[in-house]
Each structure stands twice: as C-alpha cells, then as structure tokens.
Amino acid sequence: MATAKPTRKTVADLKTNILNPALTSTYECHFVFPKTIRDWANTTTGIGNGIDFDNVGNVSIACREASLPGTSLATHEMLNDFTGVRERHVYRRQYDDTASFTFYVDVNYDTIFLFENWINFIVNQDGSDTDTKSSTYSYTVNFPDEYKSRIFIRKFERDYAGRNLEYSFYDAYPLSINSMPVSYDASQILQCTVNFCFSRYTINAPDGYTKPPSDSSPSQLPEEQKKSSKINDSFVGNTSGEDQRFIPTDSATGFRGDGSEPLLLPDGSPVRDANGNLREMF
C-alpha cells in the first residue's frame, strides 16, 4: 500500500492541529474512601482522635501532582515458525505497579491523618490499643474487600469545554507514604506523596464530546477602536467646506464644473470662448 502524497498545509491547519496543545496544569483527582474506613477513622479508634471526612474534597484541591498511568503489552517470542523471522504475539496487558499522588499538607495535617488511617485500617492497627507499643505486638490484616476502593483522575482544559479524559483506577489502596524531610533551612511547604496500588484502570469520556460554545455574533471592538473605526456619514459637503455642493474638477486644466453649468476657472469666474459666450465643460 502506497503512502499518501504530501499535501499543502495552511496556517489555519497548523493553528487547529498543533497550536492548541493540552496543558498539564488542568486536572482533578478524586479519592473514594471506603465506608468501613470512614466509620473507623471518624472514631477515636483512628489516630488523630477522629478525622472529619466531610472535608475530603479538600484533598482533591490539595493534590499538587499526579501522573496519568502507563500500560504495556506482554508478548511471547516465536523464532522457529519461519526461517529468519522473529514473531512476537501479545498474551497479556500489563499496568504500572503504582500511581503516585503528591499533596500539600495543611496546618491540621489532615492529608497525613487521612492516608495514615487508611493504612492503619488495612493492618488493623487500632489507635486506642495499648498493645501497639509493646515489643511483642502483632496484627491481622483486614480483608481486601474492606480497604480497596476507587480513585479517579480527570483531565480537562482551561475552557472546561471539549473532550475530557477520566482515568478510573480499580481496587486501589495506599501502598506506601514517602518520607517527608523537615529541617531548619529555609521553610518550604510540607508535601506528602502517597503511592497507590491498583489492579487496572480504564479511560472514560464521562460527558462525551462537548463542542465549544459558538460565537455567531461579531466580535466587539474596544471603545477606543470603535471611535477610530467609525465612518461619519453625517457630514454633508466636500473639501470646499461644510454644506458646499460637490463640483467636479477637470484634472488636466483645473477647471471646475458638473457639465450642466458653465465651466469655471479655479477662482470661480466663468470661462468664455473667443466670441464671449460661456463655455461648458462637456
């Protein structure tokens, strides 16, 4: 099959296809905390003497950085079916091991408490249990159905129009929390990075494709430009002065007249022939 012939590209084509890129700074992350964890962390059982899960929406706003997930295909290599030909056939789709999210930490440390409670619930570490401080402490991990949940990343653009991407992570739960250095050097915003484990993800278009609003009305000019661009049709007259009737001028001789009246000299006096008769322009 032959390739397509080169075609001419216009500036409008470049603006439509290249000069309208997607930006990395417009996205939202949503975390669905399982009900069992919400009930458990809202009591004194969880650390922090209870966490107000009504403010979970603030965690989405505080999400400073996230990564859209990657995927790959696992293949099986076949060498002996055809001479000199190596074939690779797909047998499995693979996903990234983890998805990382970085959050700004507020002065109440809610972000840290929320995800620490989630991890504590997974290992059934009761904050009110005094045995946790014992050197012989042991624990029993809860069932996966109780701590796995869903997380979402929605990618959109600044105009909130057009196509949206929504990544939905299944069977997600926090796998680890990165260390958060503190020091007496110049103060910086404390950030908490949480790494989530998940089984797979899907891409959705929740709202389908929404066309940007069409602007059928002509664009409005600034007031200064309106004044400078406006044509004044109220002026009656010509270069001879306001309210003066326009009189054509012969470009060769400079004589003025409209053809129905005697030809005039530049000073306005009539032109006469050799016999003293008034001369007409045409």
Side-chain angles (χ1 to χ4, degrees), residues 239-265:
T239 55
S240 298
E242 187 174 357
D243 297 328
Q244 299 296 318
R245 184 171 54 84
F246 177 77
I247 302 176
T249 303
D250 189 337
S251 60
T253 63
F255 296 150
R256 304 177 62 195
D258 59 3
S260 62
E261 297 180 356
L263 186 64
L264 303 177
L265 291 170

PDB file of all heavy atoms in Angstrom, residues 239-265:
ATOM      1  N   THR A 239     -14.578  69.131   0.114  1.00  0.00           N
ATOM      2  CA  THR A 239     -13.375  69.803   0.598  1.00  0.00           C
ATOM      3  C   THR A 239     -13.456  71.307   0.478  1.00  0.00           C
ATOM      4  O   THR A 239     -12.576  72.022   0.962  1.00  0.00           O
ATOM      5  CB  THR A 239     -12.158  69.296  -0.197  1.00  0.00           C
ATOM      6  OG1 THR A 239     -12.408  69.481  -1.596  1.00  0.00           O
ATOM      7  CG2 THR A 239     -11.906  67.829   0.073  1.00  0.00           C
ATOM      8  N   SER A 240     -14.488  71.782  -0.197  1.00  0.00           N
ATOM      9  CA  SER A 240     -14.658  73.243  -0.287  1.00  0.00           C
ATOM     10  C   SER A 240     -15.240  73.818   0.987  1.00  0.00           C
ATOM     11  O   SER A 240     -15.261  75.026   1.170  1.00  0.00           O
ATOM     12  CB  SER A 240     -15.574  73.596  -1.473  1.00  0.00           C
ATOM     13  OG  SER A 240     -14.996  73.179  -2.681  1.00  0.00           O
ATOM     14  N   GLY A 241     -15.731  72.939   1.846  1.00  0.00           N
ATOM     15  CA  GLY A 241     -16.291  73.414   3.094  1.00  0.00           C
ATOM     16  C   GLY A 241     -17.591  72.721   3.400  1.00  0.00           C
ATOM     17  O   GLY A 241     -18.189  72.058   2.547  1.00  0.00           O
ATOM     18  N   GLU A 242     -18.038  72.803   4.655  1.00  0.00           N
ATOM     19  CA  GLU A 242     -19.268  72.149   5.087  1.00  0.00           C
ATOM     20  C   GLU A 242     -20.461  72.768   4.374  1.00  0.00           C
ATOM     21  O   GLU A 242     -20.525  73.981   4.146  1.00  0.00           O
ATOM     22  CB  GLU A 242     -19.421  72.271   6.598  1.00  0.00           C
ATOM     23  CG  GLU A 242     -20.588  71.473   7.150  1.00  0.00           C
ATOM     24  CD  GLU A 242     -20.624  71.495   8.664  1.00  0.00           C
ATOM     25  OE1 GLU A 242     -19.712  72.083   9.265  1.00  0.00           O
ATOM     26  OE2 GLU A 242     -21.568  70.909   9.215  1.00  0.00           O
ATOM     27  N   ASP A 243     -21.431  71.917   3.981  1.00  0.00           N
ATOM     28  CA  ASP A 243     -22.670  72.315   3.301  1.00  0.00           C
ATOM     29  C   ASP A 243     -22.413  72.919   1.912  1.00  0.00           C
ATOM     30  O   ASP A 243     -23.237  73.643   1.382  1.00  0.00           O
ATOM     31  CB  ASP A 243     -23.465  73.320   4.144  1.00  0.00           C
ATOM     32  CG  ASP A 243     -23.910  72.724   5.459  1.00  0.00           C
ATOM     33  OD1 ASP A 243     -24.168  71.495   5.466  1.00  0.00           O
ATOM     34  OD2 ASP A 243     -23.991  73.453   6.461  1.00  0.00           O
ATOM     35  N   GLN A 244     -21.263  72.630   1.333  1.00  0.00           N
ATOM     36  CA  GLN A 244     -20.967  73.087  -0.028  1.00  0.00           C
ATOM     37  C   GLN A 244     -21.164  71.944  -0.994  1.00  0.00           C
ATOM     38  O   GLN A 244     -20.743  70.830  -0.739  1.00  0.00           O
ATOM     39  CB  GLN A 244     -19.520  73.606  -0.123  1.00  0.00           C
ATOM     40  CG  GLN A 244     -19.232  74.792   0.789  1.00  0.00           C
ATOM     41  CD  GLN A 244     -20.055  76.000   0.393  1.00  0.00           C
ATOM     42  OE1 GLN A 244     -20.214  76.303  -0.796  1.00  0.00           O
ATOM     43  NE2 GLN A 244     -20.584  76.695   1.393  1.00  0.00           N
ATOM     44  N   ARG A 245     -21.833  72.237  -2.124  1.00  0.00           N
ATOM     45  CA  ARG A 245     -22.124  71.216  -3.107  1.00  0.00           C
ATOM     46  C   ARG A 245     -20.838  70.787  -3.811  1.00  0.00           C
ATOM     47  O   ARG A 245     -19.978  71.608  -4.111  1.00  0.00           O
ATOM     48  CB  ARG A 245     -23.135  71.760  -4.123  1.00  0.00           C
ATOM     49  CG  ARG A 245     -23.607  70.741  -5.155  1.00  0.00           C
ATOM     50  CD  ARG A 245     -24.770  71.318  -5.965  1.00  0.00           C
ATOM     51  NE  ARG A 245     -24.399  72.614  -6.548  1.00  0.00           N
ATOM     52  CZ  ARG A 245     -23.725  72.712  -7.715  1.00  0.00           C
ATOM     53  NH1 ARG A 245     -23.347  71.632  -8.358  1.00  0.00           N
ATOM     54  NH2 ARG A 245     -23.439  73.908  -8.195  1.00  0.00           N
ATOM     55  N   PHE A 246     -20.751  69.473  -4.089  1.00  0.00           N
ATOM     56  CA  PHE A 246     -19.561  68.952  -4.756  1.00  0.00           C
ATOM     57  C   PHE A 246     -19.556  69.362  -6.221  1.00  0.00           C
ATOM     58  O   PHE A 246     -20.550  69.215  -6.930  1.00  0.00           O
ATOM     59  CB  PHE A 246     -19.525  67.419  -4.656  1.00  0.00           C
ATOM     60  CG  PHE A 246     -18.368  66.807  -5.383  1.00  0.00           C
ATOM     61  CD1 PHE A 246     -17.093  66.838  -4.827  1.00  0.00           C
ATOM     62  CD2 PHE A 246     -18.555  66.217  -6.626  1.00  0.00           C
ATOM     63  CE1 PHE A 246     -16.021  66.268  -5.498  1.00  0.00           C
ATOM     64  CE2 PHE A 246     -17.474  65.651  -7.290  1.00  0.00           C
ATOM     65  CZ  PHE A 246     -16.215  65.678  -6.724  1.00  0.00           C
ATOM     66  N   ILE A 247     -18.434  69.882  -6.691  1.00  0.00           N
ATOM     67  CA  ILE A 247     -18.284  70.313  -8.082  1.00  0.00           C
ATOM     68  C   ILE A 247     -17.084  69.593  -8.670  1.00  0.00           C
ATOM     69  O   ILE A 247     -15.968  69.718  -8.140  1.00  0.00           O
ATOM     70  CB  ILE A 247     -18.080  71.829  -8.195  1.00  0.00           C
ATOM     71  CG1 ILE A 247     -19.258  72.579  -7.564  1.00  0.00           C
ATOM     72  CG2 ILE A 247     -17.886  72.259  -9.645  1.00  0.00           C
ATOM     73  CD1 ILE A 247     -19.089  74.079  -7.541  1.00  0.00           C
ATOM     74  N   PRO A 248     -17.270  68.807  -9.750  1.00  0.00           N
ATOM     75  CA  PRO A 248     -16.141  68.090 -10.335  1.00  0.00           C
ATOM     76  C   PRO A 248     -15.120  69.047 -10.923  1.00  0.00           C
ATOM     77  O   PRO A 248     -15.450  70.150 -11.356  1.00  0.00           O
ATOM     78  CB  PRO A 248     -16.787  67.220 -11.404  1.00  0.00           C
ATOM     79  CG  PRO A 248     -18.070  67.880 -11.734  1.00  0.00           C
ATOM     80  CD  PRO A 248     -18.532  68.537 -10.470  1.00  0.00           C
ATOM     81  N   THR A 249     -13.862  68.598 -10.932  1.00  0.00           N
ATOM     82  CA  THR A 249     -12.758  69.406 -11.431  1.00  0.00           C
ATOM     83  C   THR A 249     -12.050  68.664 -12.543  1.00  0.00           C
ATOM     84  O   THR A 249     -11.793  67.461 -12.425  1.00  0.00           O
ATOM     85  CB  THR A 249     -11.768  69.727 -10.305  1.00  0.00           C
ATOM     86  OG1 THR A 249     -12.469  70.396  -9.256  1.00  0.00           O
ATOM     87  CG2 THR A 249     -10.623  70.612 -10.785  1.00  0.00           C
ATOM     88  N   ASP A 250     -11.760  69.375 -13.629  1.00  0.00           N
ATOM     89  CA  ASP A 250     -11.001  68.794 -14.736  1.00  0.00           C
ATOM     90  C   ASP A 250      -9.556  68.624 -14.279  1.00  0.00           C
ATOM     91  O   ASP A 250      -8.866  69.606 -13.961  1.00  0.00           O
ATOM     92  CB  ASP A 250     -11.072  69.714 -15.953  1.00  0.00           C
ATOM     93  CG  ASP A 250     -10.491  69.060 -17.200  1.00  0.00           C
ATOM     94  OD1 ASP A 250      -9.678  68.143 -17.031  1.00  0.00           O
ATOM     95  OD2 ASP A 250     -10.850  69.489 -18.305  1.00  0.00           O
ATOM     96  N   SER A 251      -9.084  67.350 -14.243  1.00  0.00           N
ATOM     97  CA  SER A 251      -7.739  67.089 -13.747  1.00  0.00           C
ATOM     98  C   SER A 251      -6.665  67.664 -14.653  1.00  0.00           C
ATOM     99  O   SER A 251      -5.533  67.892 -14.220  1.00  0.00           O
ATOM    100  CB  SER A 251      -7.534  65.571 -13.577  1.00  0.00           C
ATOM    101  OG  SER A 251      -7.700  64.915 -14.828  1.00  0.00           O
ATOM    102  N   ALA A 252      -6.978  67.892 -15.946  1.00  0.00           N
ATOM    103  CA  ALA A 252      -5.977  68.418 -16.884  1.00  0.00           C
ATOM    104  C   ALA A 252      -5.842  69.927 -16.787  1.00  0.00           C
ATOM    105  O   ALA A 252      -4.744  70.478 -16.804  1.00  0.00           O
ATOM    106  CB  ALA A 252      -6.338  68.011 -18.320  1.00  0.00           C
ATOM    107  N   THR A 253      -6.978  70.621 -16.739  1.00  0.00           N
ATOM    108  CA  THR A 253      -6.955  72.092 -16.753  1.00  0.00           C
ATOM    109  C   THR A 253      -7.180  72.717 -15.402  1.00  0.00           C
ATOM    110  O   THR A 253      -6.860  73.885 -15.179  1.00  0.00           O
ATOM    111  CB  THR A 253      -8.018  72.613 -17.732  1.00  0.00           C
ATOM    112  OG1 THR A 253      -9.308  72.215 -17.256  1.00  0.00           O
ATOM    113  CG2 THR A 253      -7.808  72.046 -19.119  1.00  0.00           C
ATOM    114  N   GLY A 254      -7.784  71.931 -14.466  1.00  0.00           N
ATOM    115  CA  GLY A 254      -8.125  72.511 -13.182  1.00  0.00           C
ATOM    116  C   GLY A 254      -9.425  73.251 -13.198  1.00  0.00           C
ATOM    117  O   GLY A 254      -9.834  73.809 -12.176  1.00  0.00           O
ATOM    118  N   PHE A 255     -10.125  73.306 -14.360  1.00  0.00           N
ATOM    119  CA  PHE A 255     -11.424  73.952 -14.434  1.00  0.00           C
ATOM    120  C   PHE A 255     -12.448  73.121 -13.699  1.00  0.00           C
ATOM    121  O   PHE A 255     -12.397  71.891 -13.697  1.00  0.00           O
ATOM    122  CB  PHE A 255     -11.839  74.150 -15.893  1.00  0.00           C
ATOM    123  CG  PHE A 255     -10.925  75.070 -16.653  1.00  0.00           C
ATOM    124  CD1 PHE A 255     -10.745  74.907 -18.028  1.00  0.00           C
ATOM    125  CD2 PHE A 255     -10.261  76.094 -16.009  1.00  0.00           C
ATOM    126  CE1 PHE A 255      -9.906  75.766 -18.732  1.00  0.00           C
ATOM    127  CE2 PHE A 255      -9.417  76.959 -16.715  1.00  0.00           C
ATOM    128  CZ  PHE A 255      -9.236  76.777 -18.076  1.00  0.00           C
ATOM    129  N   ARG A 256     -13.409  73.765 -13.097  1.00  0.00           N
ATOM    130  CA  ARG A 256     -14.416  73.104 -12.280  1.00  0.00           C
ATOM    131  C   ARG A 256     -15.776  73.264 -12.908  1.00  0.00           C
ATOM    132  O   ARG A 256     -16.107  74.299 -13.484  1.00  0.00           O
ATOM    133  CB  ARG A 256     -14.429  73.672 -10.862  1.00  0.00           C
ATOM    134  CG  ARG A 256     -13.077  73.599 -10.165  1.00  0.00           C
ATOM    135  CD  ARG A 256     -13.135  74.232  -8.806  1.00  0.00           C
ATOM    136  NE  ARG A 256     -14.072  73.542  -7.943  1.00  0.00           N
ATOM    137  CZ  ARG A 256     -14.534  74.058  -6.809  1.00  0.00           C
ATOM    138  NH1 ARG A 256     -14.160  75.264  -6.429  1.00  0.00           N
ATOM    139  NH2 ARG A 256     -15.374  73.366  -6.068  1.00  0.00           N
ATOM    140  N   GLY A 257     -16.611  72.226 -12.759  1.00  0.00           N
ATOM    141  CA  GLY A 257     -17.976  72.275 -13.273  1.00  0.00           C
ATOM    142  C   GLY A 257     -18.542  70.876 -13.324  1.00  0.00           C
ATOM    143  O   GLY A 257     -17.804  69.893 -13.331  1.00  0.00           O
ATOM    144  N   ASP A 258     -19.883  70.717 -13.324  1.00  0.00           N
ATOM    145  CA  ASP A 258     -20.506  69.400 -13.354  1.00  0.00           C
ATOM    146  C   ASP A 258     -21.096  69.085 -14.719  1.00  0.00           C
ATOM    147  O   ASP A 258     -21.799  68.097 -14.873  1.00  0.00           O
ATOM    148  CB  ASP A 258     -21.586  69.287 -12.268  1.00  0.00           C
ATOM    149  CG  ASP A 258     -22.665  70.338 -12.430  1.00  0.00           C
ATOM    150  OD1 ASP A 258     -22.594  71.109 -13.407  1.00  0.00           O
ATOM    151  OD2 ASP A 258     -23.569  70.387 -11.567  1.00  0.00           O
ATOM    152  N   GLY A 259     -20.862  69.934 -15.760  1.00  0.00           N
ATOM    153  CA  GLY A 259     -21.359  69.675 -17.093  1.00  0.00           C
ATOM    154  C   GLY A 259     -22.673  70.336 -17.403  1.00  0.00           C
ATOM    155  O   GLY A 259     -23.006  70.546 -18.558  1.00  0.00           O
ATOM    156  N   SER A 260     -23.468  70.668 -16.404  1.00  0.00           N
ATOM    157  CA  SER A 260     -24.766  71.302 -16.625  1.00  0.00           C
ATOM    158  C   SER A 260     -24.685  72.809 -16.455  1.00  0.00           C
ATOM    159  O   SER A 260     -25.665  73.506 -16.673  1.00  0.00           O
ATOM    160  CB  SER A 260     -25.811  70.719 -15.668  1.00  0.00           C
ATOM    161  OG  SER A 260     -25.442  70.978 -14.332  1.00  0.00           O
ATOM    162  N   GLU A 261     -23.570  73.305 -15.993  1.00  0.00           N
ATOM    163  CA  GLU A 261     -23.396  74.731 -15.764  1.00  0.00           C
ATOM    164  C   GLU A 261     -22.144  75.202 -16.484  1.00  0.00           C
ATOM    165  O   GLU A 261     -21.313  74.385 -16.917  1.00  0.00           O
ATOM    166  CB  GLU A 261     -23.298  74.999 -14.254  1.00  0.00           C
ATOM    167  CG  GLU A 261     -24.552  74.620 -13.482  1.00  0.00           C
ATOM    168  CD  GLU A 261     -24.396  74.893 -12.015  1.00  0.00           C
ATOM    169  OE1 GLU A 261     -23.281  75.298 -11.614  1.00  0.00           O
ATOM    170  OE2 GLU A 261     -25.366  74.710 -11.270  1.00  0.00           O
ATOM    171  N   PRO A 262     -21.967  76.486 -16.610  1.00  0.00           N
ATOM    172  CA  PRO A 262     -20.771  76.997 -17.290  1.00  0.00           C
ATOM    173  C   PRO A 262     -19.504  76.541 -16.590  1.00  0.00           C
ATOM    174  O   PRO A 262     -19.465  76.360 -15.379  1.00  0.00           O
ATOM    175  CB  PRO A 262     -20.940  78.517 -17.206  1.00  0.00           C
ATOM    176  CG  PRO A 262     -22.395  78.734 -17.002  1.00  0.00           C
ATOM    177  CD  PRO A 262     -22.882  77.576 -16.223  1.00  0.00           C
ATOM    178  N   LEU A 263     -18.463  76.354 -17.414  1.00  0.00           N
ATOM    179  CA  LEU A 263     -17.170  75.972 -16.880  1.00  0.00           C
ATOM    180  C   LEU A 263     -16.579  77.131 -16.103  1.00  0.00           C
ATOM    181  O   LEU A 263     -16.628  78.280 -16.539  1.00  0.00           O
ATOM    182  CB  LEU A 263     -16.242  75.578 -18.042  1.00  0.00           C
ATOM    183  CG  LEU A 263     -14.880  75.005 -17.667  1.00  0.00           C
ATOM    184  CD1 LEU A 263     -15.054  73.690 -16.928  1.00  0.00           C
ATOM    185  CD2 LEU A 263     -14.046  74.799 -18.935  1.00  0.00           C
ATOM    186  N   LEU A 264     -16.014  76.821 -14.944  1.00  0.00           N
ATOM    187  CA  LEU A 264     -15.492  77.865 -14.064  1.00  0.00           C
ATOM    188  C   LEU A 264     -13.993  77.768 -13.971  1.00  0.00           C
ATOM    189  O   LEU A 264     -13.414  76.683 -14.018  1.00  0.00           O
ATOM    190  CB  LEU A 264     -16.112  77.746 -12.670  1.00  0.00           C
ATOM    191  CG  LEU A 264     -17.646  77.807 -12.579  1.00  0.00           C
ATOM    192  CD1 LEU A 264     -18.093  77.606 -11.141  1.00  0.00           C
ATOM    193  CD2 LEU A 264     -18.187  79.125 -13.135  1.00  0.00           C
ATOM    194  N   LEU A 265     -13.373  78.900 -13.815  1.00  0.00           N
ATOM    195  CA  LEU A 265     -11.946  78.964 -13.535  1.00  0.00           C
ATOM    196  C   LEU A 265     -11.708  78.624 -12.064  1.00  0.00           C
ATOM    197  O   LEU A 265     -12.637  78.645 -11.248  1.00  0.00           O
ATOM    198  CB  LEU A 265     -11.424  80.370 -13.854  1.00  0.00           C
ATOM    199  CG  LEU A 265     -11.407  80.749 -15.347  1.00  0.00           C
ATOM    200  CD1 LEU A 265     -11.099  82.247 -15.499  1.00  0.00           C
ATOM    201  CD2 LEU A 265     -10.412  79.915 -16.119  1.00  0.00           C
TER     202      LEU A 265
END
